[in-house]
Amino acid sequence: MTPDYPVTLDVRGRRVLVVGAGPVAERRVRMLRASGACVDVVAPRATDGLRALADAGEICWKRREFEPGDLTGPTRAWLVHTATGRADIDDLVAREAQAEAIWCVQAGDSSRSAAWMPAVGVGRGDADGLQVAVTGGGDPRRSVALRDAILVAMETGDLPVTRIRGTEATRAERTGRVALVGGGPGADDLITVRGRRLLAHADVVVTDRLGATGLLDRLPQRTRIIDVGKTPGHHPVPQWEINEILVREAKEGQFVVRLKGGDPFVLGRGGEEMLHCAAHGIPVEVVPGVTSAVAVPAAAGIPVTQRGVTASFVVASAHDGPEHVLAAARSAAPDATLVLLMGITRLAETAAGLIAGGRARHTPVAIVESGWTDRQRVTTTTLDRAADDARAAGARNPAVIVIGDVVTVRHELQALGALAP
Ligand code: SAH
């Protein structure tokens, strides 16, 4: 197929005639006005929107059928659109335009005109100033669908819309800033749209390889990645040093994204990082994330609350020993779901303490490892057997441990065939 030859037109101050005044014509008129054209409309009837534009003096509406001569008088049209919904009139307009050597866009049938409109969209926010035009394939709805997908991808940061020209020169004078971005529990598409967009614009990404780390492979080449997480055989970078990295990079004028697993403010030390930045005068913002405390049970078909089962849940870290978990469980409702993060290593003591504190031995337990990743694994057990079963299964971090009757919802879903076994 011979490809089209795309050009764009500067219509500012030029006279454009639009024949027809239905919804298609109205869309064209609005775009033409936005592009600065002087628009005349010829049609016996018009949409409410076009009437309003005419009343406001934005366009000139001749309230009658098209007549030969409209193209050239009183002033000659520079471009004409015809969208009357009637092939005979559209053809007539196109023929006259052809004879006068005026470009004519025939909305009803692009194959009959020498010029046509692509599906057009204008970028917003960071994509400001960018315009997308999709054409070809003889299937306008296909072009529109592709245009919409491109606009969404521009807004979410999936497409590189960051300005490149000029930014290198000004980097030194720019004030740096930090965004603490919650990356969600692990799947690349469980980060928020805002988080994804900021990630795409980061100069530096500080990550500990928990959460949406698959996105790191898709960052622009210029983005610097600093890994402060645990790697085999290496110790993690201590928190004070992470804090200092954030401040140092921002002071050099960089836009720093601190990518964190789940939500930055849930057992993620995001609060400390934010305070540290603020104390050093660095502009800092937080972008919430989908916390693993709620989302990882969900990945296993377990709602943390369920009508008739429990109306509350407690999230606790077992990192510093079972005492915190036991204290949290004591002050919660007896039926509250317990969600333990970092709970694998001290599970035996934690479970024993909970039983000693009054939780039933047969309380259902689910251990969900690497939720929302292709390594996800779920072990279901009961409180008295949890530590043994976890050991036998070789359960490892990262894992979320759910304790409570809500775990039975998973079994119900399985019985209904709604979950993979
Ligand atoms: N801020 C994070 C939690 C950080 S603490 C959040 O809101 O999710 C790290 C702990 O979170 C891990 O030890 C584990 O208990 C839990 N975790 C995070 N992501 C997980 C995942 N994909 N699967 C299972 N557990 C996860």
Side-chain angles (χ1 to χ4, degrees):
M1 197 188 120
T2 321
D4 304 336
Y5 183 73
V7 289
T8 58
L9 302 177
D10 179 0
V11 293
R12 279 173 300 179
R14 307 205 200 261
R15 179 172 176 258
V16 179
L17 179 70
V18 176
V19 185
V24 176
E26 182 177 336
R27 278 204 299 280
R28 301 271 159 106
V29 167
R30 289 190 189 282
M31 282 182 66
L32 284 163
R33 286 296 299 141
S35 301
C38 303
V39 182
D40 291 345
V41 174
V42 184
R45 282 167 304 278
T47 59
D48 291 347
L50 284 173
R51 280 167 189 274
L53 285 178
D55 291 345
E58 285 275 309
I59 60 171
C60 174
W61 176 27
K62 289 198 190 101
R63 199 171 176 164
R64 54 166 174 74
E65 295 286 359
F66 172 78
E67 289 168 7
D70 280 338
L71 282 169
T72 44
T75 23
R76 189 180 160 83
W78 192 78
L79 175 71
V80 58
H81 275 273
T82 175
T84 61
R86 282 184 48 187
D88 56 335
I89 301 183
D90 286 348
D91 280 346
L92 178 67
V93 176
R95 270 202 309 278
E96 208 203 326
Q98 173 96 28
E100 290 293 337
I102 297 170
W103 291 112
C104 176
V105 181
Q106 212 168 331
D109 187 352
S110 64
S111 67
R112 296 158 84 110
S113 56
W116 51 85
M117 292 274 304
V120 186
V122 180
R124 288 185 306 194
D126 294 312
D128 188 33
L130 288 174
Q131 208 171 1
V132 177
V134 179
T135 177
D139 182 347
R141 281 196 287 182
R142 182 181 180 215
S143 305
V144 165
L146 178 57
R147 173 204 64 191
D148 291 345
I150 294 172
L151 288 175
V152 168
M154 279 167 43
E155 276 189 35
T156 56
D158 275 324
L159 287 174
V161 294
T162 314
R163 279 178 202 279
I164 293 168
R165 190 178 286 181
T167 50
E168 288 301 326
T170 55
R171 182 157 293 164
E173 303 114 53
R174 277 194 299 166
T175 36
R177 63 189 179 105
V178 173
L180 306 176
V181 173
D188 291 351
D189 52 359
L190 283 177
I191 190 172
T192 64
V193 173
R194 186 182 298 189
R196 179 69 186 89
R197 191 170 58 225
L198 294 186
L199 198 59
H201 295 129
D203 300 312
V204 180
V205 175
V206 181
T207 167
D208 44 26
R209 307 248 162 210
L210 194 65
T213 48
L215 294 174
L216 297 174
D217 302 335
R218 285 162 48 199
L219 293 178
Q221 263 193 332
R222 58 178 189 84
T223 316
R224 198 147 44 85
I225 298 176
I226 303 178
D227 188 352
V228 294
K230 283 184 200 146
T231 48
H234 294 85
H235 289 295
V237 176
Q239 187 63 47
W240 63 265
E241 204 175 321
I242 297 176
N243 294 352
E244 282 187 3
I245 292 171
L246 299 180
V247 168
R248 185 188 70 218
E249 295 289 342
K251 280 197 169 150
E252 284 171 13
Q254 309 286 315
F255 173 38
V256 186
V257 165
R258 171 70 173 113
L259 181 64
K260 305 183 75 82
D263 183 275
F265 283 181
V266 177
L267 298 170
R269 307 193 73 169
E272 289 163 63
E273 292 172 6
M274 190 145 186
L275 284 168
H276 188 83
C277 291
H280 286 78
I282 306 291
V284 57
E285 67 181 301
V286 62
V287 179
V290 174
T291 179
S292 65
V294 176
V296 170
I302 303 168
V304 289
T305 69
Q306 170 86 345
R307 204 167 180 84
V309 180
T310 182
S312 61
F313 65 98
V314 173
V315 179
S317 160
H319 184 259
D320 300 323
E323 296 75 25
H324 294 108
V325 178
L326 300 180
R330 267 197 302 278
S331 51
D335 64 2
T337 305
L338 304 180
V339 180
L340 310 190
L341 302 194
M342 300 175 271
I344 292 286
T345 16
R346 311 294 289 269
L347 183 54
E349 296 149 85
T350 312
L354 287 169
I355 292 170
R359 289 259 166 176
R361 313 179 72 83
H362 57 265
T363 308
V365 173
I367 301 165
V368 189
E369 297 164 75
S370 299
W372 297 104
T373 71
D374 44 18
R375 285 161 283 117
Q376 174 172 314
R377 185 168 70 143
V378 186
T379 308
T380 48
T381 172
T382 50
L383 196 50
D384 53 352
R385 302 189 45 83
D388 286 346
D389 286 350
R391 200 173 311 117
R396 296 212 327 241
N397 275 317
V400 170
I401 301 168
V402 195
I403 303 168
D405 287 336
V406 287
V407 171
T408 55
V409 176
R410 171 180 169 81
H411 304 309
E412 289 174 45
L413 287 169
Q414 274 174 332
L416 293 167
L419 278 184

